[in-house]
């Protein structure tokens, strides 16, 4: 079984297209595992029947921690573009967070702030390495922004847990809390 392919498929189903697969997310983004398995196994895309053990294997071995399974339900932890807001728990953020972006986008972000764009939340990293990995999806040598999360939080910006300790979410980060991280060669 190609677990990477399956992980990406499940993430897509839960983040972006649940209705296409006959799935209805609850307010916290969960669906019953059995309902998800039914949708996955329906078209015979996989040579074997996908089971909850396969999903648990993905959760246990994934370095990206995209999914959470509890009490017979499963959800994508972050990255949602579905209509209707997924409820996330508020958290007190670490003092500093990071965001990887392209040079082109950086110009606009430093003027207008960090917006969720097509996603429900802005995605921030708790460490530079994760921000670099995310930023490299946009360009080879991304810009890393530093977010003064401590000051932003004190000023009323709300932060949310993604359920994965390396990713913190927010609705919007005004530009006054952003600076460009000094690039190290």
């Amino acid at each position: 079984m190609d677990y990477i392919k399956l992980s990406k498929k499940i993430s897509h189903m839960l983040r972006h297209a649940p209705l296409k697969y006959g799935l209805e997310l609850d307010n916290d983004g969960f669906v019953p595992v059995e309902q998800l398995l039914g949708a996955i196994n329906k078209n015979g895309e996989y040579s074997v029947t996908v089971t909850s053990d396969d999903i648990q294997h993905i959760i246990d071995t994934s370095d990206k921690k995209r999914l959470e399974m509890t009490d017979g339900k499963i959800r994508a932890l972050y990255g949602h573009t579905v209509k209707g807001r997924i409820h996330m728990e508020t958290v007190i953020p670490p003092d500093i967070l990071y965001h990887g972006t392209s040079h082109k986008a950086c110009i606009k972000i430093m003027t207008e702030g960090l917006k969720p764009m097509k996603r429900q939340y802005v995605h921030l990293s708790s460490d530079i390495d994760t921000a670099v990995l995310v930023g490299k999806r946009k360009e080879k040598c991304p810009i890393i922004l530093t977010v003064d999360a401590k000051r932003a939080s004190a000023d009323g910006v709300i932060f949310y847990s993604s359920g994965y300790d390396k990713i913190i979410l927010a609705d919007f980060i005004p530009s006054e809390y952003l600076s460009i991280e000094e690039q190290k060669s």
Side-chain angles (χ1 to χ4, degrees):
M1 166 126 4
D2 184 342
Y3 286 114
I4 293 172
K5 180 181 174 187
L6 179 59
S7 175
K8 289 180 179 181
K9 173 80 170 188
I10 293 170
S11 293
H12 180 265
M13 294 170 80
L14 297 175
R15 287 175 170 174
H16 311 297
L19 295 178
K20 176 181 174 183
Y21 298 97
L23 305 173
E24 189 173 332
L25 306 180
D26 69 14
N27 292 338
D28 296 319
F30 283 101
V31 299
V33 173
E34 290 304 317
Q35 188 180 70
L36 177 71
L37 289 170
I40 291 170
N41 291 313
K42 182 177 182 180
N43 64 6
E45 181 178 344
Y46 298 92
S47 58
V48 297
T49 300
V50 176
T51 68
S52 60
D53 288 340
D54 293 318
I55 295 173
Q56 190 63 56
H57 175 78
I58 290 167
I59 292 169
D60 293 343
T61 60
S62 172
D63 59 340
K64 293 190 178 180
K65 304 297 178 202
R66 294 178 173 136
L67 305 169
E68 173 183 33
M69 193 163 58
T70 183
D71 297 328
K73 299 186 293 183
I74 186 168
R75 72 174 175 173
L77 290 172
Y78 53 89
H80 298 88
T81 61
V82 295
K83 292 183 180 183
R85 186 141 164 118
I86 302 297
H87 175 262
M88 300 301 220
E89 296 296 322
T90 60
V91 294
I92 297 172
D95 292 353
I96 301 293
L97 291 166
Y98 304 94
H99 181 80
T101 194
S102 69
H103 286 75
K104 182 180 177 183
C106 181
I107 296 165
K108 193 170 186 177
I109 290 168
M110 293 307 290
T111 303
E112 299 178 10
L114 259 173
K115 300 175 184 177
M117 306 310 286
K118 294 178 183 175
R119 298 187 182 227
Q120 292 188 5
Y121 296 94
V122 171
H123 291 67
L124 305 165
S125 304
S126 61
D127 62 86
I128 290 177
D129 291 341
T130 301
V132 169
L133 285 174
V134 171
K136 282 187 174 182
R137 286 189 246 153
K138 297 175 173 80
E139 69 180 40
K140 186 177 179 181
C141 296
I143 295 286
I144 303 303
L145 301 177
T146 299
V147 179
D148 186 347
K150 180 178 183 177
R151 187 167 61 94
S153 180
D155 290 349
V157 174
I158 299 172
F159 293 86
Y160 305 90
S161 169
S162 70
Y164 174 40
D165 63 346
K166 292 187 178 190
I167 304 292
I168 302 290
L169 307 172
D171 296 313
F172 170 72
I173 304 293
S175 59
E176 67 194 83
Y177 304 107
L178 303 173
S179 60
I180 298 173
E181 178 73 15
E182 185 176 325
Q183 299 296 310
K184 299 169 180 78
S185 17

